[in-house]
Amino acid sequence: MSETIRIGVVAPGRGIDAALAADIKALVAGAYGPRVEIYFHPQCFLKAGHFAGPDEARAAAFVEIANDPRFDALWFARGGYGSCRIAHQVLHKLNDSARRKTYLGYSDAGTLLAGLYKQGFPNLAHGPMPIDIVRDGGIVAVKRGLGFLVDQHRHDIEPSVVGAAPNVAFNLTILANLIGTPLQPDLSGHVLMIEEVGEYMYRIDRALCHVSSNEGIRRIAGLKLGRCSDVPVNDPDFGMNEEDVAKHWCAVSGIAYLGRADIGHDVANKIVPFGRG
């Protein structure tokens, strides 16, 4: 990395507002001074229906920051939805500067992280994003993300990431929608960590049925279950919790169930570097 670490922020799905960006800039300035510069691409503040600008604008912003050698890292502004609409436009346009960067995000960003991982990009991680600052206690999560991007802090990495096997982490719904597409990476021999938010238990069950039925996924070293938060009440009661469901589909598919992972859509979300941590 250069003497001054430069982080570029883009929003491949939903956008953020200028006030949030100003709060993040103030946090960075207070914590790091001139050692770190953070740049929010103007695309982050565009509005086009659900999205932070039309597909073309979001794709152009991603490629611009990724390919610019002045930036050391690309930080996804937030999740939501939209990365899949630009993934096929951007992945074939990335250069060597893009390959050297660190990429950090989760939720919808997992779509692009998967595509980058399939192309052999070495510095990818599931972890906090700028939008987390709006959560109660979210400054802690944002600082965790910055600590990883700036100083590669090891104490903010999910505790089970020890390097014995390569690791990846995804939101379950995002992963389920990647299965069978050109964006699905080869996860043979990996420890796969999954998390979920806002889905009924039957939908978690259905997504795990789909994911665990895939022959590529069945070649993973094992599955770890992160937090499944804000699960709506099912009527009638589903009768199983998220761990029951995960254990069931692991047993059916022959995948080793490896216990819980400290990841989720919350301020405690730890960082999972893709590959060998």
Side-chain angles (χ1 to χ4, degrees), residues 81-97:
Y81 170 69
S83 291
C84 70
R85 293 177 62 96
I86 69 168
H88 298 288
Q89 298 181 45
V90 304
L91 291 173
H92 70 281
K93 297 179 180 178
L94 302 180
N95 62 19
D96 287 341
S97 292

Side-chain angles (χ1 to χ4, degrees), residues 27-252:
L27 179 63
V28 170
Y32 296 102
R35 186 163 75 95
V36 177
E37 294 179 3
I38 188 161
Y39 169 74
F40 286 82
H41 195 286
Q43 169 271 321
C44 293
F45 315 120
L46 297 179
K47 295 184 184 298
H50 175 89
F51 305 106
D55 292 351
E56 294 75 16
R58 302 195 320 279
F62 181 88
V63 172
E64 179 183 337
I65 297 298
N67 284 349
D68 190 335
R70 294 173 298 175
F71 291 102
D72 302 290
L74 186 152
W75 202 6
F76 295 94
R78 66 174 301 161
Y81 170 69
S83 291
C84 70
R85 293 177 62 96
I86 69 168
H88 298 288
Q89 298 181 45
V90 304
L91 291 173
H92 70 281
K93 297 179 180 178
L94 302 180
N95 62 19
D96 287 341
S97 292
R99 189 171 289 272
R100 289 191 290 269
K101 281 183 177 57
T102 299
Y103 297 78
L104 179 65
Y106 69 106
S107 189
D108 182 64
T111 298
L112 285 163
L113 292 174
L116 293 167
Y117 196 53
K118 183 171 183 177
Q119 292 192 177
F121 278 56
N123 302 310
L124 314 172
H126 175 285
M129 299 180 290
I131 192 63
D132 287 317
I133 201 169
V134 306
R135 302 180 188 272
D136 289 340
I139 289 177
V140 174
V142 173
K143 286 183 175 179
R144 186 182 306 120
L146 286 167
F148 177 77
L149 290 174
V150 175
D151 294 313
Q152 300 292 302
H153 281 168
R154 303 297 302 175
H155 60 264
D156 288 326
I157 291 176
E158 205 283 332
S160 68
V161 176
V162 294
N167 299 267
V168 290
F170 292 100
N171 170 264
L172 174 59
T173 296
I174 294 297
L175 178 61
N177 282 281
L178 292 172
I179 296 296
T181 76
L183 297 172
Q184 181 183 346
D186 181 3
L187 301 183
S188 300
H190 286 64
V191 173
L192 169 62
M193 304 183 196
I194 57 170
E195 47 82 14
E196 191 52 275
V197 62
E199 296 288 356
Y200 283 96
M201 195 56 62
Y202 77 86
R203 291 181 179 173
I204 293 172
D205 186 81
R206 180 167 58 198
L208 275 167
C209 170
H210 178 60
V211 168
S212 65
S213 297
N214 179 260
E215 288 302 319
I217 296 297
R218 289 187 174 189
R219 292 194 290 269
I220 65 174
L223 181 138
K224 292 186 70 92
L225 179 65
R227 288 177 288 281
C228 296
S229 56
D230 300 332
V231 178
V233 176
N234 198 79
D235 185 16
D237 183 72
F238 191 70
M240 303 172 73
N241 63 28
E242 66 270 23
E243 190 162 28
D244 296 330
V245 168
K247 287 179 176 178
H248 170 82
W249 289 112
C250 282
V252 168

